[in-house]
Amino acid sequence: MAAGGFCKLPSGSVVVALNLPRPAAATGRPTGVCLDDVRVLVLAQNRARALTRLRNLGLRAVYLRGNAAPPTPDEITAVLHHPDGLIWRTAPDNSVPSAPERTELWHPIRSLLRRPATRV
């Protein structure tokens, strides 16, 4: 089960944050926080619509159970200022205090779902 959470904004919209396995990495490792996990942020009118946005992009098995890892204020600011309202970056590893994931910039979701170029 992916860690995640949500935060309801004063405007009535919701920011949903999920730690998901990277779609391109098909590893047999458990779904704990590892280098293949990404943190995805979605801005939507409600939680159901946020999850539907992710499912429509091909991330079919996305569920939000509980509020164990809600978005931080910095994450909320990042998703509010992005025109698509759907961004990602490598999931932070809380066991390493100076991890490079902390300084990684947010990426649009298109760059995560882009298929690698095939050689001919």
Side-chain angles (χ1 to χ4, degrees):
M1 180 174 12
F6 68 95
C7 180
K8 189 159 182 144
L9 302 176
S11 64
S13 58
V14 174
V15 175
V16 174
L18 293 167
N19 288 352
L20 302 172
R22 186 181 299 264
T27 61
R29 287 186 263 175
T31 323
V33 176
C34 65
L35 295 177
D36 291 332
D37 285 352
V38 293
R39 178 92 164 159
V40 178
L41 297 175
V42 185
L43 176 67
Q45 293 301 313
N46 56 41
R47 286 182 289 170
R49 286 189 182 183
L51 298 176
T52 300
R53 286 185 73 184
L54 290 173
R55 290 182 187 128
N56 288 342
L57 291 171
L59 302 172
R60 297 289 180 209
V62 176
Y63 297 99
L64 180 63
R65 293 187 177 102
N67 200 13
T72 64
D74 291 337
E75 291 175 336
I76 294 171
T77 302
V79 76
L80 286 174
H81 285 88
H82 194 272
D84 292 338
L86 190 56
I87 55 178
W88 73 276
R89 73 176 172 190
T90 306
D93 185 6
N94 294 331
S95 64
V96 180
S98 62
E101 293 87 11
R102 298 259 184 225
T103 59
E104 181 183 1
L105 298 177
W106 291 97
H107 309 284
I109 198 70
R110 290 182 302 268
S111 66
L112 177 65
L113 301 175
R114 186 178 308 142
R115 298 185 196 247
T118 58
R119 292 185 179 181
V120 179

